Amino acid sequence: MRSSLIRRLRVAVGVLLGFLSVVVELILTLASGLWLLLTLGRSGVGRSESGVVARAARRWADVQRRRMARWYGAEIAPPTSGASALAFVATRWPVGLLGGMVLLCALIGGGYASLLLWGWAAVDLSRWPMTMGVSGFGGLFLLFLAAQGVGAVALMDERLARHFLGPSARQRMQRRIGELAESRAGVVEAVHDERRRIERDLHDGVQQRLVALGMLLGRARRTPDPKKSAALLRQAHEESQQALVELREVAWRVYPAALDEGGLAAALETVAERAAIPVRLDCELRASPPPTAQAVAYFVAAEAVTNAVKHSGASLVTVRADGAEGVLRLRVEDDGRGGADPSGGGLLGLTRRVAALDGTFSVASPAGGPTVITAELPCV
């Protein structure tokens, strides 16, 4: 309720500033008309781009774009040409005037509605009961309509700017298609990297230990000395145990069973327990995020903690996970020396994983530390 009221007040301030802008826009519109008349008959090539009025219109359109970004939260592209800026300025002033009329209606409605609060002390209700009641409730109704009108004017303002300045619906769709194509390529590359890592772990770790195990068993079977045979069998047993441990580690890195059994909090606890340095865990999740978001958050935390242990020289890592407004946020901070490269293989893979869910991923790691890795994952 409070955030909605603040949002409406912000929009109302934006509409008011848009109304106050009408004077400048009318002057620019008249000036552009005179300028076109004076330059009539001249070469049209670049005429609308090099004139003083066109440059002023571009600056003013940029001011309006920033106003909408500040008060409406609308993303409007900067003007790309003087012609589009002039067209925007010449057509925006009626919207600004409409916004002023709506705000005036809101002011009048608010004044009459307030009679229900203070009118009983200033007016003799025994003489004007019906008039006071009708005026008060009529003012409330007018205030309600004006509040809806303010939002509609802001929407008209935004759509007008988007029509002339962009990005248009087609441009947004093209940009979205580009983002999806890029994220798809990133996911394919991340899966390829993960497959190669698993193959490398199996080949260099588990496979080598199984080969050594086979050789030890072969030597134990061929040796005639019972004592040497027993020693070889003991070594073979140790190799089999170590191979089993490494095989479990590989399986754990592929997908931790704790995610299915206890959720993200339990999986992060295992990450903290396996780390070679202290990990402080703060997990505040009121609702269980989707499994895909939990899996990505787990891999981000596991990779970040592993990097901190191997490369940062940190003595403490803090992992914080929380969720609000449909977004799962994960923050991993260490007190190491910093200098982490976001374009490195591990962090780049995490960026692709997060991008696959339309999330955001950032790495802040100045020289001297600390390193802060943040991932925001939409829970849809």
Side-chain angles (χ1 to χ4, degrees):
M1 182 66 182
R2 183 181 178 185
S3 60
S4 176
L5 181 60
I6 293 175
R7 160 72 180 164
R8 287 180 178 276
L9 289 176
R10 287 173 61 88
V11 172
V13 172
V15 171
L16 176 61
L17 294 176
F19 167 66
L20 297 176
S21 305
V22 166
V23 176
V24 178
E25 288 159 1
L26 283 174
I27 293 174
L28 282 173
T29 302
L30 292 174
S32 65
L34 291 174
W35 175 67
L36 288 173
L37 286 175
L38 292 175
T39 57
L40 189 64
R42 298 183 185 178
S43 173
V45 178
R47 193 173 56 143
S48 59
E49 303 297 330
S50 58
V52 176
V53 179
R55 291 199 299 272
R58 289 188 69 165
R59 292 195 187 95
W60 186 250
D62 192 57
V63 170
Q64 294 301 311
R65 182 183 66 85
R66 282 180 283 167
R67 173 181 65 84
M68 294 179 200
R70 173 70 175 83
W71 300 105
Y72 300 165
E75 181 186 356
I76 309 295
T80 56
S81 67
S84 62
L86 274 175
F88 168 67
V89 170
T91 54
R92 208 211 72 84
W93 62 267
V95 178
L97 282 180
L98 179 62
M101 293 174 61
V102 171
L103 290 176
L104 180 62
C105 290
L107 192 63
I108 295 173
Y112 276 102
S114 65
L115 285 175
L116 295 174
L117 298 176
W118 57 268
W120 61 273
V123 180
D124 185 1
L125 292 180
S126 62
R127 297 182 59 187
W128 311 99
M130 184 62 71
T131 303
M132 288 290 295
V134 171
S135 300
F137 285 106
L140 278 177
F141 186 63
L142 182 60
L143 185 61
F144 171 76
L145 292 180
Q148 304 303 315
V150 167
V153 170
L155 186 60
M156 289 174 59
D157 209 1
E158 177 185 338
R159 288 185 175 179
L160 186 68
R162 209 179 290 284
H163 175 73
F164 286 105
L165 306 180
S168 63
R170 182 183 181 83
Q171 290 171 328
R172 290 201 302 274
M173 183 178 295
Q174 289 176 340
R175 187 173 62 183
R176 180 59 178 157
I177 291 173
E179 291 174 351
L180 290 175
E182 185 178 353
S183 66
R184 176 184 175 277
V187 169
V188 172
E189 187 66 26
V191 171
H192 181 60
D193 292 343
E194 190 71 14
R195 181 179 58 80
R196 286 192 300 182
R197 186 182 63 79
I198 294 171
E199 290 175 351
R200 186 173 60 250
D201 290 346
L202 291 174
H203 181 270
D204 297 341
V206 179
Q207 181 176 334
Q208 296 302 318
R209 291 200 178 275
L210 290 177
V211 171
L213 174 62
M215 295 175 63
L216 288 171
L217 290 175
R219 290 173 57 191
R221 192 181 64 177
R222 290 190 300 271
T223 183
D225 187 354
K227 292 184 178 179
K228 188 174 181 180
S229 176
L232 291 171
L233 287 174
R234 186 171 57 256
Q235 291 182 30
H237 180 261
E238 292 174 354
E239 284 292 331
S240 67
Q241 295 297 315
Q242 191 61 37
L244 186 60
V245 170
E246 291 187 2
L247 188 59
R248 285 174 178 166
E249 288 290 332
V250 173
W252 178 265
R253 286 198 292 270
V254 173
Y255 188 83
L259 271 179
D260 288 336
E261 297 170 355
L264 181 60
L268 293 179
E269 286 178 1
T270 60
V271 172
E273 292 171 356
R274 287 166 176 259
I277 58 176
V279 177
R280 182 185 299 159
L281 179 61
D282 184 7
C283 192
E284 297 180 359
L285 297 173
R286 297 177 182 176
S288 180
T292 51
Q294 292 190 51
V296 172
Y298 163 77
F299 283 114
V300 171
E303 183 73 21
V305 171
T306 301
N307 288 342
V309 172
K310 288 183 178 178
H311 310 298
S312 72
S315 59
L316 176 66
V317 179
T318 302
V319 179
R320 177 178 176 78
D322 57 48
E325 300 177 355
V327 176
L328 169 60
R329 296 185 180 85
L330 181 77
R331 174 187 170 96
V332 182
E333 179 176 357
D334 67 57
D335 59 353
R337 65 178 70 92
D341 182 9
S343 62
L347 293 178
L348 187 59
L350 295 181
T351 303
R352 290 167 175 164
R353 281 180 182 271
V354 174
L357 297 184
D358 277 346
T360 59
F361 182 80
S362 63
V363 178
S365 183
T371 297
V372 179
I373 294 176
T374 307
E376 294 187 349
L377 302 164
C379 299
V380 294

